[in-house]
Amino acid sequence: MRGINKVTILGRIGQDPEVRYTQGGDPIVTLSVATDDSYTKNGQKVQQTDWHRVVVFGRMAEVAANYAKKGDPIYVEGKQKTRKWQNKEGQDVYTTEVQVTPRGELQLLGTRANSGGDQQQQQSRPAQQSAPQQQAAANAPAPGGYANYDEDWDDDVPF
């Protein structure tokens, strides 16, 4: 049986990305990503933060290097790897990280500034549109690609 090595993380970037380059000039970006969890113990809510080392390769590394900032929400899909190396004293050291290769996924979900009340204020103000813009918006498909979402479309479902 073949196993699956897939890690999915939704969290916040803990510090600005560290960028280094291979001998061939390709970027490698290291991110520190925090995920939060909470549970109740003896009636008290306990917050727990876990830190994940994320290493990004290829084109996604360029994107992370240029756009990712401390505090930004991020979605990461990759594989878990544990590397063994020797420190200056000659001792074996193990590092576990999530590697995001071109087969993985990295999505910057916006900035901390855009995730709060400013976004709600922008949404509450209607945008001024010209008559052609209003007509185009009325004829555009609904979100998700369903052109006639309000219509009764379940008549064709065979069950």
Side-chain angles (χ1 to χ4, degrees):
M1 180 172 87
R2 185 172 171 210
I4 296 174
N5 182 353
K6 184 174 183 179
V7 176
T8 303
I9 297 174
L10 178 61
R12 288 204 179 269
I13 300 172
Q15 63 187 28
D16 287 339
E18 296 176 20
V19 183
R20 58 188 195 277
Y21 295 90
T22 65
Q23 291 177 350
D26 296 326
I28 299 173
V29 172
T30 303
L31 301 169
S32 178
V33 178
T35 55
D36 294 328
D37 194 12
S38 63
Y39 59 92
T40 304
K41 182 177 182 179
N42 299 329
Q44 298 290 323
K45 186 174 182 179
V46 178
Q47 288 286 118
Q48 179 179 349
T49 301
D50 287 312
W51 290 94
H52 311 274
R53 178 182 171 93
V54 177
V55 181
V56 187
F57 301 92
R59 176 72 179 117
M60 287 183 284
E62 293 176 23
V63 171
N66 292 325
Y67 299 106
K69 300 289 181 235
K70 177 181 178 179
D72 289 350
I74 190 169
Y75 173 83
V76 175
E77 277 186 15
K79 58 185 174 181
Q80 181 175 317
K81 288 287 187 179
T82 300
R83 294 185 296 116
K84 178 182 173 183
W85 50 283
Q86 290 188 341
N87 61 14
K88 294 177 183 176
E89 291 82 35
Q91 297 172 331
D92 289 343
V93 180
Y94 295 88
T95 301
T96 300
E97 57 198 16
V98 177
Q99 292 184 352
V100 182
T101 62
R103 289 185 174 184
E105 187 171 342
L106 180 136
Q107 292 181 17
L108 299 172
L109 302 176
T111 63
R112 177 167 236 147
N114 290 339
S115 64
D118 295 336
Q119 188 177 21
Q120 291 174 345
Q121 289 175 353
Q122 290 173 357
Q123 290 175 352
S124 65
R125 277 185 259 143
Q128 298 297 324
Q129 294 181 337
S130 65
Q133 287 174 327
Q134 289 174 349
Q135 182 64 31
N139 293 335
Y146 300 106
N148 297 315
Y149 183 79
D150 292 334
E151 292 182 13
D152 187 15
W153 54 271
D154 62 349
D155 290 338
D156 296 334
V157 178
F159 50 87

